C-alpha cells in the first residue's frame, strides 16, 4: 500500500454485494471506500477461505473480519439454536475484546427487526454479540447471559472463552455449528502462555469452520508456526505493505536531494506517520518529554497524546509528578495492567471522550496494555519514554496515531548507546528519523554523542529539585519513586535487544536524577558503580510522614516496634558480651596462660634459690665438665637451655605430638 493510495476501491466493487443495512452502517461511519486490507480479505473470507492477515496498525483490520462474520451468519439457511455459537472472536486483552464488541454492537444495533422471524424462532433473526471478560460477570453468569440473550457471536479473552466452552458451559454451549473463528492480534495470542489454552479451545471446535488470523506483526517463521498451531487449512496469506517515498541523499553534498528521483521504502508503520528519535542523557529524559509535549502543543496544535513507559510502577509514579511539567490545563490519565479492569475501562473511555484541544491537552500515560489493537482515532502524538522490551510492540505503540488515513507523529527517547536501536528497527522496516534535543526555548540542539563530555542540561537540576519538593509532601510518593526506579532497572535488564540495552551501559545515577529520588535504593546493580554527581536529599527520615493519617499512624507504630526490637537486640548482645567476659577465666586459653605465668614464677624462684645456695664451681672444674668459660658467664645459662626446651615442647603440645598432661608433668612442678 502506498501512501498515495490509502484506499482500494468502493464497497460496491466487492464480488458479493453486502447486506443493505450493513452498508448503511459503513456509510454512517464515514468509510466511503475500502482500505487495501479490507479489499483483499473480505472476498476471501466470504468465499470460505482461511486467511492469515498482516497489515500495519490503523489499516482497518477489524472491519475486515467483522463484516464477513456478520454476512456469514445472516446468510445461513438454518438459524442457530439457543445454545449454539456461530462465531468466536478471541483477543489477547479485555480492552481489545471490549472494542471489538462495541464495533459488532454498532452494526447490530442498526439491524432491522423481523416480527415473523422473531416469532418463529427462539433466537433473534439477526446475530447478537456476547462479551466475555473477567470483570463483567462470573463464568456461570456468562453461560446464563448467553442463554438468556440468545447471542451467537462470542467475543472474549482466552481464559474466559476456555471456561465458557470447556468449563461452566461444557454441557450447555454447543459449537457444532460454528462458522468462523477469529484470532485477533494472533502473534500475541500465540505467545506469553496462551498456547495451552488455545490448544484446548481449538481441539474443541469443529474442523469445518473458517479461521482468520489477524495481526500487525507476524514474521514468516511466526506465521508458519501459528498456522500449524491454529489448524488452518490451505490458508490465503494477505500481507498489506506500506511504501513511502524516500529521497536519495547526495553523498557528495550531503543534501537530501535526489539526482535520479525518489525510491520507495517499505514500512511496517502507517505511511502518514512521522517517526522520530531523540538521543539524550538518562538524566534528561523527563526534561525532553516535557519539551516534546510543549513543542507539539504550541507548534503543531496537537491535543491528544499517549506516553508509554516500561512498567506499571513507572506509570503510577509519573502520573503523580508530571502535572507540574506539562502545559497549563493538561489532563493526565493513567492506564496499566495492575489497575482493576473496571478502572482501566473507565480511564480509557474518559480519555477517548475528553474534549481535548491545544488549550486543554489530554495525555494518557500507559504501558503496553494500551499498545495493541485499541482504536483511539484522534491521537495526535505518541511518545515512547521507554523503548519496549518486546520489539514487536514498537510498531503497535506508534501505530496508535496516524490511523485510518490520518497523519500522526511519534517520538522515542534513546539514551547513550541506545542510538543503535535506530538501525535495529530499520532492519525491521520501522524507519526512524534522528531529531536533535529540544532546548529550553524550543530550539533544537545537535545530536548527543554517547561519548560526549558536554555538560548536563541545567534544567535537570531544577527538575530534580522540583520533584524532590513534591516527594517531601508525602512519604508514599517516595515509596512509589523507589518502586518505579527498581522496576525500570529490572525491566531494562530483561530487554529482548540485550546487546543494545545493556544494564552495564545504563547511567543508573542519571536515571535516579530523572526520577528525582531522595536517595538511591539498595539494589545489587548500584553496588559497584561510582556515584559521581549524586547527593542524597537532606531528609529527617524519622519525621518524614505519610499524608494519609492512618498510614502515618501505622508507620509510627511500626517504627516504635522496630525501636523496641532494636533495643532488645542490643540488650541481648550486651548480656552475651558480659556473660562471655564473666566466663572468660574458665576458658582453656586463659587457663593455659595463667599456668604459664605460674611456671615462669616458679622457675624464677628456683633460679634465685640456686644462686643463693650453690657455690660457684672453679674454672678448672667447668673445663673438666666441658663447659664454656667466658667472662660474664653464670648459672643462668642453664635456665636459658631449660626455657628453650620448654618452648620446643610447648610447640609439640600445640601440634598435638605431646599431651598437655606430659607437658605439665615435665615443667609444671619444681
Amino acid at each position: 500500500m502506498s501512501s498515495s493510495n490509502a484506499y482500494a476501491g468502493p464497497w460496491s466493487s466487492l464480488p458479493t454485494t453486502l447486506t443493505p443495512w450493513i452498508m448503511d452502517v459503513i456509510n454512517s461511519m464515514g468509510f466511503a471506500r475500502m482500505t487495501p486490507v479490507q479489499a483483499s480479505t473480505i472476498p476471501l473470507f466470504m468465499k470460505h477461505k482461511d486467511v492469515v492477515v498482516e497489515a500495519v496498525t490503523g489499516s482497518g483490520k477489524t472491519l475486515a473480519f467483522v463484516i464477513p462474520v456478520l454476512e456469514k451468519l445472516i446468510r445461513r439457511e438454518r438459524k442457530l439454536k439457543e445454545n449454539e455459537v456461530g462465531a468466536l472472536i478471541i483477543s489477547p486483552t479485555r480492552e481489545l475484546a471490549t472494542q471489538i464488541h462495541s464495533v459488532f454492537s454498532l452494526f447490530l444495533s442498526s439491524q432491522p427487526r423481523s416480527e415473523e422471524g422473531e416469532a418463529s424462532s427462539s433466537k433473534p433473526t439477526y446475530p447478537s454479540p456476547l462479551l466475555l471478560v473477567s470483570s463483567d460477570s462470573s463464568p456461570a453468569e456468562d453461560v446464563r447471559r448467553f442463554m438468556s440473550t440468545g447471542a451467537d457471536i462470542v467475543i472474549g479473552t482466552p481464559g474466559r472463552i476456555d471456561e465458557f466452552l470447556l468449563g461452566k458451559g461444557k454441557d450447555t454451549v454447543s459449537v457444532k455449528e460454528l462458522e468462523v473463528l477469529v484470532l485477533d492480534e494472533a502473534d500475541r495470542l500465540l505467545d506469553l502462555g496462551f498456547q495451552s489454552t488455545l490448544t484446548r479451545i481449538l481441539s474443541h471446535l469443529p474442523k469445518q469452520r473458517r479461521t482468520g488470523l489477524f495481526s500487525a506483526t507476524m514474521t514468516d517463521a511466526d506465521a508458519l508456526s501459528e498456522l500449524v498451531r491454529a489448524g488452518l487449512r490451505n490458508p490465503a496469506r494477505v500481507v498489506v505493505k506500506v511504501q513511502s517515498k524516500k529521497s536519495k541523499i547526495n553523498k557528495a553534498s550531503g543534501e537530501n536531494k535526489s539526482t535520479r528521483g525518489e525510491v520507495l521504502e517499505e514500512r511496517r508503520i502507517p505511511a502518514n506517520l512521522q517517526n522520530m528519535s531523540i538521543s539524550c542523557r538518562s538524566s534528561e529524559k523527563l526534561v525532553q518529554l516535557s519539551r516534546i509535549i510543549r513543542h507539539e502543543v504550541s507548534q503543531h496544535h496537537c491535543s491528544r497524546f499517549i506516553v508509554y513507559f516500561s512498567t506499571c510502577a513507572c506509570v503510577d509514579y509519573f502520573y503523580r509528578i508530571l502535572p507540574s511539567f506539562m502545559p497549563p490545563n493538561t489532563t493526565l490519565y493513567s492506564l496499566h495492567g495492575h489497575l482493576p479492569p473496571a478502572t482501566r475501562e473507565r480511564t480509557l473511555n474518559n480519555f477517548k471522550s475528553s474534549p481535548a484541544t491545544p488549550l486543554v491537552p489530554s495525555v494518557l500515560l500507559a504501558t503496553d496494555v494500551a499498545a495493541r489493537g485499541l482504536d483511539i482515532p484522534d491521537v495526535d502524538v505518541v511518545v515512547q519514554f521507554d523503548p519496549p522490551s518486546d520489539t514487536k510492540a514498537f510498531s503497535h505503540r506508534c501505530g496508535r496515531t496516524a490511523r485510518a488515513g490520518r497523519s500522526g507523529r511519534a517520538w522515542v527517547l534513546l539514551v547513550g548507546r541506545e542510538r543503535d536501536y535506530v538501525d535495529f528497527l530499520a532492519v525491521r522496516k520501522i524507519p526512524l528519523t534522528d531529531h536533535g534535543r529540544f532546548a529550553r526555548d524550543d530550539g533544537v540542539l545537535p545530536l548527543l554523542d554517547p561519548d560526549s563530555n558536554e555538560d548536563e542540561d541545567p534544567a535537570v537540576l531544577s527538575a530534580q529539585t522540583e520533584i524532590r519538593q513534591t516527594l517531601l509532601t508525602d512519604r508514599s510518593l517516595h515509596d512509589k519513586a523507589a518502586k518505579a526506579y527498581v522496576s525500570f532497572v529490572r525491566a531494562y535488564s530483561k530487554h529482548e535487544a540485550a546487546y543494545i540495552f545493556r544494564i552495564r551501559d545504563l547511567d543508573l545515577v542519571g536515571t535516579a536524577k530523572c526520577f528525582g529520588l531522595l536517595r538511591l535504593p539498595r539494589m545489587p546493580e548500584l553496588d559497584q558503580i561510582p556515584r559521581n554527581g549524586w547527593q542524597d536529599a537532606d531528609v529527617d527520615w524519622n519525621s518524614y510522614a505519610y499524608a494519609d493519617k492512618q498510614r502515618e499512624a501505622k508507620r509510627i507504630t511500626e517504627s516504635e516496634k522496630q525501636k523496641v526490637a532494636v533495643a532488645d537486640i542490643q540488650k541481648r548482645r550486651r548480656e552475651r558480651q558480659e556473660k562471655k567476659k564473666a566466663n572468660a577465666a574458665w576458658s582453656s586459653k586463659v587457663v593455659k596462660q595463667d599456668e604459664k605465668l605460674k611456671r615462669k614464677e616458679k622457675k624464677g624462684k628456683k633460679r634465685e634459690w640456686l644462686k643463693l645456695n650453690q657455690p660457684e664451681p672453679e674454672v678448672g672444674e667447668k673445663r673438666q665438665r666441658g663447659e664454656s668459660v667466658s667472662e660474664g658467664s653464670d648459672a643462668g645459662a642453664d635456665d636459658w637451655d631449660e626455657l628453650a626446651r620448654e618452648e620446643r615442647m610447648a610447640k609439640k603440645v600445640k601440634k598435638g605430638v605431646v599431651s598437655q598432661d606430659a607437658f605439665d608433668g615435665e615443667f609444671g612442678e619444681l
Side-chain angles (χ1 to χ4, degrees):
M1 180 179 74
S2 171
S3 60
S4 60
N5 184 25
Y7 296 98
W11 294 94
S12 59
S13 64
L14 286 172
T16 305
T17 303
L18 299 181
T19 302
W21 64 266
I22 290 181
M23 196 64 244
D24 291 342
V25 175
I26 294 173
N27 291 330
S28 69
M29 296 171 73
F31 300 139
R33 299 169 66 85
M34 293 182 290
T35 63
V37 68
Q38 293 162 355
S40 302
T41 304
I42 293 175
L44 291 170
F45 227 178
M46 293 182 66
K47 288 181 179 179
H48 310 294
K49 288 281 188 180
D50 289 351
V51 295
V52 176
V53 180
E54 179 182 359
V56 297
T57 59
S59 58
K61 291 190 296 295
T62 302
L63 284 186
F65 65 77
V66 167
I67 292 172
V69 166
L70 292 174
E71 290 289 351
K72 278 182 171 293
L73 295 181
I74 290 170
R75 297 168 190 266
R76 277 182 60 92
E77 295 181 0
R78 184 184 70 82
K79 297 303 178 184
L80 294 168
K81 297 179 182 179
E82 282 187 357
N83 63 333
E84 292 178 343
V85 178
L88 193 61
I89 319 295
I90 305 177
S91 79
T93 65
R94 69 179 309 280
E95 284 80 12
L96 182 52
T98 303
Q99 180 175 288
I100 295 170
H101 178 265
S102 67
V103 176
F104 274 107
S105 299
L106 176 63
F107 276 91
L108 296 171
S109 63
S110 302
Q111 63 183 320
R113 300 295 175 180
S114 172
E115 295 181 1
E116 294 181 1
E118 295 283 2
S120 62
S121 174
S122 58
K123 270 204 171 188
T125 305
Y126 291 107
S128 61
L130 175 68
L131 176 64
L132 304 181
V133 291
S134 58
S135 65
D136 286 352
S137 60
S138 67
E141 290 171 339
D142 289 340
V143 177
R144 287 196 291 270
R145 286 194 298 126
F146 170 72
M147 298 301 294
S148 63
T149 60
D152 39 26
I153 302 173
V154 176
I155 307 149
T157 52
R160 292 308 288 265
I161 295 289
D162 181 37
E163 182 65 30
F164 177 72
L165 297 179
L166 299 168
K168 297 295 184 182
K170 184 176 182 180
D171 299 326
T172 305
V173 180
S174 172
V175 293
K176 292 181 180 180
E177 295 294 323
L178 184 76
E179 290 275 357
V180 184
L181 168 66
V182 173
L183 304 182
D184 198 17
E185 298 296 346
D187 60 324
R188 182 72 169 174
L189 279 170
L190 297 173
D191 286 337
L192 303 178
F194 288 129
Q195 295 94 327
S196 59
T197 303
L198 283 176
T199 300
R200 286 195 302 272
I201 295 172
L202 293 173
S203 62
H204 182 68
L205 301 180
K207 294 182 179 179
Q208 296 298 325
R209 67 171 193 269
R210 297 283 63 78
T211 303
L213 276 64
F214 292 78
S215 181
T217 51
M218 281 193 289
T219 63
D220 291 340
D222 289 335
L224 290 175
S225 62
E226 288 161 359
L227 295 180
V228 173
R229 230 181 286 174
L232 275 70
R233 296 179 302 168
N234 193 25
R237 184 86 184 273
V238 178
V239 180
V240 179
K241 296 181 179 179
V242 173
Q243 292 181 333
S244 61
K245 293 179 180 179
K246 179 182 179 182
S247 299
K248 293 180 180 179
I249 297 177
N250 189 328
K251 295 183 179 179
S253 64
E255 296 179 352
N256 192 24
K257 294 182 179 180
S258 175
T259 57
R260 297 183 181 179
E262 295 175 319
V263 296
L264 291 179
E265 175 188 43
E266 185 181 337
R267 300 157 57 110
R268 289 184 179 269
I269 57 175
N272 296 329
L273 173 65
Q274 297 182 55
N275 205 14
M276 294 161 285
S277 67
I278 289 181
S279 297
C280 63
R281 290 185 173 85
S282 295
S283 59
E284 298 171 351
K285 287 179 72 175
L286 182 62
V287 172
Q288 288 300 314
L289 171 63
S290 174
R291 291 174 181 173
I292 287 172
I293 293 178
R294 291 177 182 274
H295 168 80
E296 294 288 1
V297 169
S298 61
Q299 299 298 319
H300 298 279
H301 307 292
C302 298
S303 59
R304 203 178 299 275
F305 300 79
I306 299 181
V307 181
Y308 286 101
F309 295 87
S310 59
T311 69
C312 301
C314 287
V315 171
D316 195 29
Y317 172 61
F318 282 101
Y319 174 70
R320 286 162 174 78
I321 67 167
L322 273 178
S324 59
F325 296 91
M326 294 291 101
N329 303 318
T330 299
T331 305
L332 290 179
Y333 300 87
S334 169
L335 183 65
H336 57 78
H338 289 172
L339 293 172
T343 303
R344 285 158 52 184
E345 184 174 353
R346 183 170 59 252
T347 298
L348 192 58
N349 290 334
N350 289 342
F351 176 66
K352 287 181 179 180
S353 60
S354 62
T357 67
L359 295 177
V360 187
S362 291
V363 180
L364 175 66
L365 311 182
T367 59
D368 284 339
V369 73
R372 285 178 175 256
L374 297 184
D375 185 22
I376 309 173
D378 53 351
V379 172
D380 301 306
V381 181
V382 167
V383 182
Q384 303 197 49
F385 189 82
D386 303 320
S389 295
D390 179 2
T391 52
K392 287 182 181 180
F394 191 95
S395 59
H396 288 282
R397 284 179 171 187
C398 59
R400 294 314 97 202
T401 185
R403 299 179 68 81
R406 296 177 75 252
S407 61
R409 297 163 64 81
W411 301 83
V412 60
L413 295 172
L414 302 174
V415 300
R417 305 202 176 274
E418 292 175 11
R419 280 190 64 187
D420 293 340
Y421 198 49
V422 175
D423 297 331
F424 177 83
L425 291 174
V427 174
R428 284 151 180 78
K429 300 180 177 60
I430 303 174
L432 274 170
T433 302
D434 286 330
H435 192 285
R437 294 162 293 153
F438 283 103
R440 188 188 296 269
D441 58 358
D442 206 30
V444 179
L445 301 173
L447 292 175
L448 178 68
D449 187 333
D451 299 321
S452 171
N453 293 322
E454 180 183 333
D455 292 338
E456 188 176 68
D457 192 322
V460 171
L461 179 59
S462 60
Q464 183 184 12
T465 302
E466 186 173 350
I467 295 172
R468 284 181 166 183
Q469 290 174 348
T470 302
L471 298 188
L472 289 174
T473 62
D474 186 356
R475 188 167 184 144
S476 66
L477 293 178
H478 159 72
D479 295 345
K480 290 181 182 296
K483 183 179 179 181
Y485 178 82
V486 171
S487 71
F488 168 78
V489 174
R490 296 283 190 266
Y492 197 95
S493 66
K494 297 176 182 177
H495 202 288
E496 283 189 0
Y499 66 95
I500 297 175
F501 297 86
R502 297 184 295 185
I503 193 68
R504 65 176 178 270
D505 293 336
L506 181 63
D507 181 5
L508 294 175
V509 171
T511 303
K513 291 181 180 179
C514 174
F515 279 66
L517 299 185
L518 298 178
R519 62 184 178 187
L520 294 176
R522 295 179 182 177
M523 53 190 307
E525 290 83 356
L526 290 170
D527 289 344
Q528 304 299 326
I529 66 167
R531 305 194 177 189
N532 300 333
W534 176 260
Q535 186 174 1
D536 288 349
D538 185 12
V539 180
D540 181 359
W541 293 95
N542 291 326
S543 60
Y544 184 24
Y546 290 101
D548 186 331
K549 293 183 179 180
Q550 291 184 347
R551 193 171 182 185
E552 175 60 14
K554 183 179 179 181
R555 182 192 74 84
I556 293 175
T557 302
E558 291 178 350
S559 178
E560 293 299 327
K561 289 181 180 178
Q562 187 176 9
K563 288 180 181 179
V564 172
V566 170
D568 186 53
I569 292 172
Q570 292 176 344
K571 180 181 178 181
R572 290 199 300 269
R573 185 179 298 168
R574 286 195 301 270
E575 290 175 349
R576 285 197 302 270
Q577 291 175 348
E578 292 174 358
K579 184 176 180 181
K580 183 177 180 180
K581 185 176 180 181
N583 296 333
W586 300 100
S587 67
S588 58
K589 184 177 180 180
V590 176
V591 170
K592 290 178 182 179
Q593 291 177 348
D594 191 40
E595 290 177 349
K596 188 174 182 180
L597 290 173
K598 289 180 180 179
R599 287 197 301 273
K600 286 184 178 180
E601 185 180 355
K602 289 180 181 179
K603 289 178 181 178
K605 291 180 179 179
K606 182 177 180 180
R607 285 195 297 270
E608 291 295 330
W609 183 86
L610 290 173
K611 186 175 181 180
L612 293 173
N613 294 282
Q614 290 186 1
E616 181 72 20
E618 296 292 336
V619 173
E621 294 176 356
K622 290 184 178 180
R623 287 176 176 169
Q624 289 176 1
R625 294 198 299 267
E627 297 176 3
S628 63
V629 179
S630 61
E631 186 177 355
S633 66
D634 55 22
D638 291 337
D639 293 334
W640 288 113
D641 292 340
E642 182 75 4
L643 288 173
R645 191 166 70 87
E646 179 183 357
E647 184 177 357
R648 287 195 298 275
M649 184 166 283
K651 290 180 179 180
K652 292 180 179 181
V653 172
K654 187 174 182 180
K655 293 179 179 180
V657 178
V658 177
S659 67
Q660 185 67 45
D661 292 340
F663 180 86
D664 293 341
E666 182 72 19
F667 298 101
E669 303 292 341
L670 284 173

